[in-house]
Amino acid sequence: MTSTILREMIHGRLPWEELRSVPRQSPADRLAGDEAVALLEKVLDEHLDALALDHGERMPDALVRALTDGGFLAMSLPRQDGGLGLSEYSAFRVYEAAAHRSPAVGMLLSAHNSMGPGTYLRALPEGPLRTLLAKHLAAGSLSAIASTEPEGAANSDRSAGARRTEDGTGYLLNGEKVFISNGSRARLVAVTATVEDSGGQVGLFFVEVPTPGFEVVAEHEYMGLRGAPSAHLRMTDVFVPVEHTVSAHAEWRSASPFAELHTVARIYLISAPSMAIARRCLDWSRSFVAGRRVDGRPLADYEAVQRMIAASAADVYAMDSAVRRALIGTEATESQWERDALKNITSLSGWRVADRAVSLCAAQGFETARSKAARGVPAYPVEQAQRDLRGLRIGGGVDFNLDRVLAARMLATYYRGGPERNPGGERPTPDALETGALSEANRDHLTALVQDVRRLGEVCAELTGSTPAPELLARQETLIAVNRIVTELFTTAVVLARAAWSDDEPQAQDLAAVHCHGARRRLTPLWDQVSQQLPEAYGRLSRAWMSGAPTDLLTP
């Protein structure tokens, strides 16, 4: 089964019994994660100056060596193979802990571990390529995957090319790659390239760096996420032996674990730092608000401030609930859609939290940490948090385009015919559901959720029943709305399930109630968006402006 919860929801059914099993870490797994986080904190205490990284300093070599020595470049590899043997969720906790101190460090670790030698080793048989990867893993070589190109990341093909040498012993790579995490520091780079004379097949080529023809053109300087070694790369006749490639004809991109590679990488690269930053913003908001009075009245007593604080707390709770649901005790093939959904759930929720923190802190939210420190007030880098989260909304696939892609995938199940198109089975009424410890307000939210999920199924059946697939795929605003409805309903479902059956979380009912209230407000315009096609005026105006037609009102 490709997916579980979202597969049911997109067809109008809420799998409440399945949601009732709230994911929990085992004590042993929790302990392993605690120990790894504690060791990481010691390394960062000794070697990291987070503000210096954000102000443009290069990540210290001593820090990278200490991370290597601590096993943090092989976190998920079994201990007998030299790794830390962490589960997916414990590894997520380590990436979040790293990003809590510095998003740049978190991204360096997550990019290497989710797209480095340890990932590919699980898929490769004994042979020269496996030996190569094991060698770099043992040496602690930092790694990168070079896929995005100047033409953009959304293209399915690759302009970088691989030409077979005349003697047949290898390939010559030519082309450029941009926005490559760890690209300027990596000693092993996995490069995607289109193989010449193969009918457009894309292969994966492992390049040992340095090597002739391989050039780091420049490190990127971003508005946020500063200090992460992201680079523009160029290859000119870079030779890669045949035995250091994954065959372009082996359908490697659809084979496990390669199929899950980008999904897991997005979770570690985007969701972990989004969680970390959102938690910090929530802490900073509390600290700032607690020390302020307006007209003699504590700032925390004002209704608008209470709304923002509560909404941010509920957003963090919802993010955490979604991550736990997707990562604890599930296989990638069983929760692929839920894992894909995490990127936008966490980055967009984190963005809301950061935006509220900037508003709550007022001028100090817009002021840099360095400026605050210079005048002796707490140096919370709130403005950095907002810059970083804006970058996370772009990274791993810009948010609106990922919405489009994921909705198209889910709606495709309606076009396949058979039982998937008209799913049978009784749909339980809200009154028939066990509600555990849910408060009266949250039982009302559960009733609304069941109705909204049913409405989602009806909307999707109507869209696919009345519109041919090519025409529906062209309605990109509709697809974006569908996926945003799906993610709002999914997050609401996991939050309510957690509140219903988590006895040790005293604020769970209020956290769930606040989240559900906010989600229902966000859903209202989305239902309108999904049922209405974009007015033709948008296309006419866009085409006119892009053609250079004079528009007096828009020019000085």
Side-chain angles (χ1 to χ4, degrees):
M1 184 178 293
T2 303
S3 66
T4 52
I5 297 169
L6 287 185
R7 186 187 188 211
E8 293 293 301
M9 292 177 71
I10 196 72
H11 287 278
R13 299 183 293 258
L14 177 67
W16 187 245
E17 282 302 310
E18 181 175 346
L19 284 160
R20 179 174 179 171
S21 176
V22 179
R24 290 181 174 86
Q25 271 190 295
S26 69
D29 188 37
R30 177 76 187 185
L31 178 61
D34 289 345
E35 292 174 344
V37 168
L39 178 58
L40 174 71
E41 292 286 355
K42 290 181 180 179
V43 170
L44 298 182
D45 285 343
E46 184 175 352
H47 297 286
L48 175 65
D49 183 341
L51 287 181
L53 277 184
D54 187 60
H55 292 148
E57 288 192 14
R58 189 173 188 268
M59 191 173 295
D61 292 335
L63 171 58
V64 178
R65 286 195 299 269
L67 293 170
T68 303
D69 294 342
F72 294 104
L73 297 192
M75 287 201 291
S76 299
L77 202 67
R79 289 185 178 274
Q80 60 266 27
D81 295 329
L84 295 182
L86 297 181
S87 69
E88 288 184 329
Y89 184 66
S90 286
F92 181 94
R93 288 183 57 210
V94 174
Y95 301 132
E96 184 183 343
H100 188 272
R101 299 284 293 274
S102 167
V105 175
M107 296 190 77
L108 179 139
L109 289 177
S110 57
H112 170 84
N113 282 286
S114 62
M115 298 181 286
T119 300
Y120 299 104
L121 277 176
R122 300 195 301 270
L124 296 173
E126 294 295 333
L129 180 53
R130 202 175 198 283
T131 300
L132 173 74
L133 300 186
K135 178 188 77 172
H136 281 276
L137 193 64
S141 300
L142 203 60
S143 61
I145 183 167
S147 189
T148 302
E149 298 178 332
E151 295 82 1
N155 296 301
S156 57
D157 58 353
R158 292 294 177 267
S159 60
R163 184 178 73 254
R164 193 72 176 257
T165 58
E166 291 185 5
D167 60 9
T169 61
Y171 292 87
L172 296 177
L173 302 183
N174 286 277
E176 299 193 10
K177 302 288 183 176
V178 293
F179 311 126
I180 307 305
S181 295
N182 296 346
S184 59
R185 303 285 290 265
R187 290 296 171 262
L188 182 69
V189 181
V191 179
T192 58
T194 301
V195 181
E196 292 185 9
D197 302 322
S198 69
Q201 293 291 327
V202 176
L204 190 65
F205 304 83
F206 289 86
V207 178
E208 294 187 273
V209 179
T211 191
F214 186 95
E215 176 187 359
V216 176
V217 178
E219 282 196 340
H220 296 295
E221 182 177 335
Y222 297 129
M223 180 177 73
L225 302 171
R226 296 172 181 169
S230 178
H232 176 181
L233 308 176
R234 178 178 296 136
M235 292 159 289
T236 305
D237 284 343
V238 172
F239 177 75
V240 181
V242 169
E243 57 268 25
H244 291 175
T245 70
V246 176
S247 172
H249 302 284
E251 299 300 328
W252 63 271
R253 286 197 288 181
S254 61
S256 185
F258 298 115
E260 294 87 32
L261 176 65
H262 286 161
T263 295
V264 175
R266 272 200 299 262
I267 293 171
Y268 291 156
L269 276 166
I270 307 300
S271 296
S274 295
M275 280 291 314
I277 297 169
R279 290 190 205 273
R280 294 195 79 190
C281 285
L282 189 56
D283 287 341
W284 295 331
S285 297
R286 176 170 54 188
S287 297
F288 181 84
V289 169
R292 306 287 287 195
R293 301 179 71 85
V294 176
D295 294 333
R297 182 181 176 189
L299 186 58
D301 286 355
Y302 287 89
E303 183 184 62
V305 173
Q306 292 174 347
R307 178 190 63 79
M308 288 192 281
I309 291 288
S312 290
D315 274 334
V316 170
Y317 181 73
M319 294 162 69
D320 184 68
S321 300
V323 168
R324 288 168 183 257
R325 170 61 61 177
L327 291 185
I328 298 178
T330 62
E331 297 292 333
T333 53
E334 297 173 349
S335 58
Q336 185 70 35
W337 285 3
E338 288 82 357
R339 292 179 174 213
D340 283 332
L342 283 184
K343 190 271 178 180
N344 277 0
I345 289 172
T346 53
S347 62
L348 290 172
S349 297
W351 171 258
R352 291 196 297 267
V353 175
D355 193 56
R356 294 187 199 108
V358 170
S359 294
L360 285 167
C361 293
Q364 286 192 33
F366 196 58
E367 183 183 16
T368 67
R370 180 163 54 184
S371 174
K372 293 174 192 173
R375 63 188 187 86
V377 299
Y380 307 136
V382 183
E383 50 79 35
Q384 178 191 337
Q386 192 170 45
R387 287 189 282 110
D388 290 347
L389 271 161
R390 196 62 186 88
L392 294 172
R393 287 180 58 185
I394 296 167
V398 67
D399 47 22
F400 71 86
N401 192 53
L402 186 60
D403 281 323
R404 177 191 65 81
V405 170
L406 298 183
R409 182 194 304 170
M410 289 187 282
L411 290 172
T413 62
Y414 275 88
Y415 286 107
R416 292 172 186 163
E420 276 296 313
R421 175 149 186 80
N422 296 296
E426 292 295 323
R427 296 176 178 176
T429 62
D431 293 340
L433 299 179
E434 292 189 40
T435 57
L438 288 182
S439 65
E440 181 179 354
N442 283 326
R443 290 196 297 272
D444 290 343
H445 286 308
L446 178 59
T447 298
L449 174 64
V450 172
Q451 294 168 346
D452 279 341
V453 169
R454 186 171 299 172
R455 181 180 181 182
L456 172 66
E458 293 168 352
V459 166
C460 291
E462 170 63 23
L463 284 172
T464 55
S466 62
T467 312
E471 182 179 334
L472 184 56
L473 291 177
R475 290 175 55 180
Q476 295 185 345
E477 288 295 301
T478 296
L479 297 183
I480 291 168
V482 165
N483 195 65
R484 294 195 173 176
I485 290 171
V486 169
T487 54
E488 287 288 1
L489 296 181
F490 168 70
T491 310
T492 296
V494 297
V495 163
L496 286 172
R498 182 174 176 180
W501 289 290
S502 294
D503 300 330
D504 55 347
E505 297 179 342
Q507 304 303 322
Q509 298 308 314
D510 285 342
L511 286 164
V514 171
H515 170 78
C516 292
H517 179 261
R520 290 172 71 174
R521 293 179 70 177
R522 290 189 292 273
L523 280 167
T524 299
L526 291 172
W527 289 120
D528 291 337
Q529 183 180 337
V530 81
S531 63
Q532 301 174 10
Q533 294 196 49
L534 198 66
E536 294 181 0
Y538 284 86
R540 289 197 303 270
L541 180 57
S542 175
R543 287 189 295 271
W545 181 256
M546 293 305 296
S547 70
T551 307
D552 291 343
L553 290 176
L554 301 179
T555 54

